[in-house]
Amino acid sequence: MLLVYPWEVLPKHLPFFLPPMKNISRFPLLKLFSLIIIFSCLLVSCQPGSSPTVASPTQTRASTVTEIPPTVTPTDLPAYDPGQIRWWDGTVFYEIFVRSFYDSDGDGIGDFNGITEKLDYLNDGDPATTTDLGVTGIWLMPIFPSPSYHGYDVTDYYTVNPQYGTVEDFKNLLAEAHKRGIRVIIDLVINHTSEQHPWFEQANDPSSPYHDWYIWSEKDPGYLGPWSETVWHKGDNGLYYYGIFWSGMPDLNFNNPEVNEEVRKIARFWLEDMDVDGFRLDAALHIIEDGEIQANTPQTIEWLQGFTTYVHEVKSDALVLGEVWASSYTVMQYLQSDALDMAFNFDLSSAIIENVIRQDAANLASAIELETEIFQREGTGIFLTNHDMDRVMSMVNLEEEKAKAAATILFTFPGTPFIYYGEEIGMTGQKPDEMIRTPMQWSNTENAGFSSGTPWEKPSLMYPYYNVADQLINEGSLLNHYRQLVHLRQEYPALQYGQFIKLNSSSPQVLASLRILGDEVILTLVNLGDEPAAGFTLSARDLPVRGDLSPTPLLGSGILPHMVIEDTGRLEDFIPMAALGANANLVILYQKK
C-alpha cells in the first residue's frame, strides 16, 4: 500500500541513490559527488525553520495497528500431509511493478508486453534448464486505471491501465505465463477507491444511490488513524468522509450489501473473464472499522471469510493472499479462521534482515523457531522486502555477502517465498517510495536497458554495478546465487514441504537448520560472521530419520563427513566440516547409503 503525503514530494534524488559511506570508495566516480551532496543536505537540514524528519506511515504501521492477542500454542512443526498440498505451497513468486519492469514501446513506462518479452528471464518453461530465475508465480502490483503512478487509487475495476497496454496485451501476458507454468495473481485494491472513481464522484450527492458506498459523518469525529494520520476528510458536500490512507483514497463501506455484491462481481470478472490465478488483497486488515478500532476487527475477519469462500466457489484453486501488516500472532488469526489462504510474514522479514546485519545467528535462530511454531503449516508468504520497504541491498550497506545470506535463509525456510523485482541483482533504494520502485536494471547501457525513451523515473545510479547482463556471466554474482536457490527449492520437495527443524549450533555466528521429507534430509548452514567458523558442532533430538546419511553438496562445497543419527533420533555434537568459511552459505543433501 502506498501513502501519499506532502513530505514525499520533496526533492527525492539526493542521497537516496548513493552507496553508504563505508563502501563509497568502491565507486570512485561517485565519491566526491556523494560528499558534496550529503554535506549540502546537512546544511539544509540545519537551517532555521527546517522541517523535522517524518517517518512514512508505511514504516510505522506494523507497530501501531490494533493487534489481536495471541491464541496460538507453540508446538513442533508437524509432518507434511500430501493431502493438504496447494499449488502455492510449492511456488516461488516474483513481485512486479509493471511501470518499472520493462518498457517495450519506448514511452518510458513499463508495460504488459515488456513483461511478456522478459518471461524467459523469469522462467523459460523448460524444467531442464537453469539459465532462468526459475520462479513459478508472478504478483502484479495494481494494473487498474489510476490517476497516480503507483495505482493504489483505482478509478475502474473492470479494465487495465492504458499506460500498461490493452486488455488483449494483458491476456497475452497471462497466456504466455501459463505456457511456462507461471501462475499470475493481481493486486486487488478494494479497501478504498480513488476520489476520482465515478462511484465517489456521485457519492458526494447525499441523494445518490452511491452515497452509502462510502463512510460519511456530518461532523468530524476527531480521532486519528493507526499511525496518527488524519482519517476524516471534508468532502465537497460539507460532510466528512473516512479514508484511512489519504483524502484521495476514500474507504468503501463494506457494511453496505451493494458494495459487497459489487466487489464479488469484480472478483468473478478477473477470475473468469481474465483468467487470473488469484488476488493479493491490499490493506486486508482495514476492510471494516469499528469506530476508532481501525484494524483487525472481528468484522474484517468475518468479511474476508465470506469473500475467500466466494472466490473458491468461482475458481476452486484461486489464491487469496492478504497484506496483514501486523505481528505474526495477529496474522495467524486470519489463517486459522480461513479468512485468507495466505498472508505475509512481516515479523520474519524483519528478523532475517536485522540479524543478518548484526551477524547474530543465535538471535535469528530463536526468532525463526518462534515463527515456525506460530504458523505451523498455515500459508505464509515469506519475503525480505517489498514495495513499501527500503531495498535489501541498501539495508545491508551494499554488503553482497549479507544479501546472499538473507536469500539462503529465505529459500530454505517453510512458506512461499516472494522476490521483489530487482532484489536478485542487488538493486538499491531507500524511501521515498519512488526510490524503491525505480526501473529494473537490465544492463549497464543507457537507462539501465529499461527503455529506449525517457524513463518515467530515472534508474538508480548504481545500475552500472548491479544489472542483469553483467551478473548473468558472473558465476559468483548475487543473481546466480538466487537462481541456484530457486532451482534447488523447485527440485527438492523437502525445501518446499519438508519438516523444518532448527539445529543447536555451538557457534553464535552459524545458523543451522534441517528440512526433512521422507528420506530426503537437507542441511543448511549460513555463517553470518566475517571470520571462518571452525570446529563448531550441531545437535538435535527426536529427529524423524535414523541411520548413517551420506552428504551431497547442493550449494557451496567442502569436505563433508557422514551424518549419523542415533536410533533414538538424536544428533549429538555433529561436526559438519572442519571450518565454514566467512560469510559462507552451504546447502547439503543427506541420504541413506
Side-chain angles (χ1 to χ4, degrees):
M1 177 62 232
L2 174 99
L3 296 150
V4 181
Y5 281 79
W7 57 82
E8 291 197 358
V9 298
L10 293 173
K12 60 194 178 190
H13 294 286
L14 295 182
F16 302 104
F17 54 72
L18 298 177
M21 290 306 297
K22 77 173 279 190
N23 289 319
I24 199 69
S25 60
R26 294 173 53 192
F27 310 101
L29 294 178
L30 295 177
K31 185 173 182 180
L32 179 59
F33 178 65
S34 302
L35 292 171
I36 293 171
I37 290 295
I38 293 172
F39 181 68
S40 300
C41 292
L42 289 173
L43 288 177
V44 171
S45 65
C46 294
Q47 294 302 311
S50 62
S51 299
T53 300
V54 184
S56 167
T58 55
Q59 294 175 305
T60 59
R61 188 187 327 167
S63 61
T64 55
V65 297
T66 302
E67 303 285 3
I68 298 174
T71 60
V72 180
T73 301
T75 57
D76 292 335
L77 180 64
Y80 164 65
D81 180 356
Q84 296 180 354
I85 185 63
R86 302 160 299 186
W87 65 261
W88 51 82
D89 292 325
T91 298
V92 175
F93 276 95
Y94 192 84
E95 179 190 357
I96 294 178
F97 182 35
V98 181
R99 183 175 296 272
S100 282
F101 195 60
Y102 186 65
D103 172 21
S104 69
D105 57 13
D107 66 354
I109 295 174
D111 46 49
F112 300 131
N113 290 337
I115 299 174
T116 303
E117 284 188 37
K118 296 295 186 179
L119 281 177
D120 283 349
Y121 165 77
L122 299 175
N123 190 325
D124 62 12
D126 184 353
T129 64
T130 57
T131 53
D132 54 3
L133 186 56
V135 301
T136 48
I138 291 174
W139 156 26
L140 297 178
M141 288 170 61
I143 60 172
F144 308 109
S146 169
S148 64
Y149 85 93
H150 51 77
Y152 281 100
D153 43 351
V154 178
T155 56
D156 187 345
Y157 289 99
Y158 290 98
T159 190
V160 299
N161 188 331
Q163 292 183 321
Y164 295 167
T166 66
V167 168
E168 291 307 312
D169 293 335
F170 176 71
K171 288 184 174 180
N172 181 58
L173 166 59
L174 284 176
E176 290 299 320
H178 289 160
K179 283 181 186 177
R180 292 164 173 79
I182 303 174
R183 306 264 191 161
V184 180
I185 65 172
I186 63 170
D187 228 319
L188 188 60
V189 190
I190 53 173
N191 176 73
H192 50 266
T193 70
S194 168
E195 64 177 343
Q196 298 179 34
H197 195 293
W199 299 343
F200 187 72
E201 291 179 338
Q202 296 178 65
N204 274 283
D205 180 357
S207 65
S208 168
Y210 287 100
H211 183 71
D212 289 334
W213 283 42
Y214 297 86
I215 303 165
W216 298 91
S217 174
E218 291 186 0
K219 297 181 179 180
D220 183 354
Y223 58 82
L224 299 176
W227 47 94
S228 300
E229 81 283 18
T230 298
V231 295
W232 288 98
H233 315 280
K234 195 167 186 179
D236 296 338
N237 54 15
L239 302 177
Y240 290 85
Y241 64 91
Y242 180 81
I244 192 170
F245 291 111
W246 179 48
S247 61
M249 297 176 176
D251 277 36
L252 285 166
N253 176 17
F254 283 95
N255 289 312
N256 184 338
E258 293 180 357
V259 173
N260 291 306
E261 182 181 355
E262 183 64 28
V263 167
R264 292 188 175 194
K265 287 180 181 177
I266 292 167
R268 178 180 289 275
F269 171 78
W270 287 95
L271 293 169
E272 289 188 340
D273 294 15
M274 306 296 270
D275 198 29
V276 301
D277 296 294
F279 305 111
R280 179 262 189 186
L281 298 184
D282 182 66
L285 72 169
H286 298 297
I287 297 293
I288 300 178
E289 293 73 25
D290 184 3
E292 294 186 43
I293 303 175
Q294 300 168 70
N296 303 312
T297 63
Q299 299 96 312
T300 290
I301 291 180
E302 182 179 1
W303 185 90
L304 287 168
Q305 287 172 329
F307 178 78
T308 298
T309 298
Y310 175 79
V311 166
H312 292 161
E313 289 172 354
V314 175
K315 195 170 189 176
S316 61
D317 65 344
L319 168 63
V320 181
L321 163 65
E323 180 202 25
V324 180
W325 200 324
S327 77
S328 292
Y329 287 111
T330 296
V331 172
M332 186 61 178
Q333 308 306 307
Y334 289 80
L335 300 175
Q336 282 185 321
S337 62
D338 294 325
L340 297 166
D341 294 318
M342 187 196 302
F344 289 111
N345 189 333
F346 286 90
D347 284 354
L348 178 65
S349 163
S350 300
I352 293 174
I353 298 295
E354 290 170 7
N355 287 290
V356 164
I357 292 171
R358 292 200 298 254
Q359 301 179 319
D360 191 341
N363 193 60
L364 178 54
S366 297
I368 282 176
E369 187 172 39
L370 176 61
E371 293 306 307
T372 307
E373 291 171 343
I374 292 173
F375 285 104
Q376 301 294 297
R377 289 204 175 276
E378 296 291 349
T380 52
I382 56 177
F383 66 103
L384 298 178
T385 65
N386 65 22
H387 61 280
D388 283 326
M389 306 160 75
D390 290 349
R391 283 189 173 273
V392 175
M393 189 60 92
S394 292
M395 287 198 285
V396 301
N397 210 25
L398 288 183
E399 295 184 56
E400 189 172 302
E401 297 307 322
K402 285 184 169 57
K404 287 182 176 180
T408 302
I409 297 164
L410 179 72
F411 287 104
T412 55
F413 192 82
T416 299
F418 284 73
I419 303 169
Y420 183 40
Y421 81 94
E423 176 183 290
E424 75 276 15
I425 58 171
M427 281 181 61
T428 56
Q430 295 172 286
K431 294 278 189 172
D433 288 337
E434 292 89 342
M435 295 295 96
I436 53 179
R437 302 169 186 173
T438 53
M440 179 68 174
Q441 295 161 196
W442 292 104
S443 69
N444 60 14
T445 59
E446 186 178 8
N447 297 327
F450 162 73
S451 175
S452 60
T454 302
W456 76 274
E457 182 74 45
K458 291 181 179 179
S460 164
L461 290 185
M462 303 304 293
Y463 77 83
Y465 308 98
Y466 302 109
N467 61 77
V468 172
D470 289 344
Q471 293 195 28
L472 282 174
I473 59 176
N474 177 1
E475 185 177 349
S477 69
L478 182 60
L479 173 56
N480 279 317
H481 186 70
Y482 264 79
R483 290 197 325 189
Q484 284 182 277
L485 287 167
V486 174
H487 282 278
L488 283 178
R489 191 172 180 103
Q490 303 292 19
E491 182 177 354
Y492 292 95
L495 290 176
Q496 300 176 43
Y497 319 116
Q499 187 172 357
F500 179 89
I501 298 170
K502 177 190 74 68
L503 298 179
N504 295 318
S505 169
S506 65
S507 171
Q509 67 193 53
V510 175
L511 183 71
S513 63
L514 292 176
R515 299 297 303 274
I516 302 175
L517 182 62
D519 293 332
E520 194 172 276
V521 178
I522 296 180
L523 170 67
T524 300
L525 300 172
V526 181
N527 185 356
L528 299 183
D530 295 327
E531 300 293 334
F536 66 94
T537 61
L538 306 176
S539 302
R541 295 182 179 183
D542 301 321
L543 295 177
V545 292
R546 309 286 189 273
D548 188 340
L549 307 180
S550 177
T552 302
L554 304 178
L555 177 72
S557 61
I559 300 175
L560 308 171
H562 286 214
M563 177 189 292
V564 179
I565 302 175
E566 300 174 6
D567 290 341
T568 59
R570 184 168 180 163
L571 180 69
E572 189 70 25
D573 294 331
F574 171 58
I575 301 176
M577 59 195 315
L580 182 63
N583 304 119
N585 300 266
L586 194 58
V587 180
I588 311 162
L589 171 66
Y590 286 89
Q591 293 176 306
K592 290 185 179 180
K593 295 189 294 182

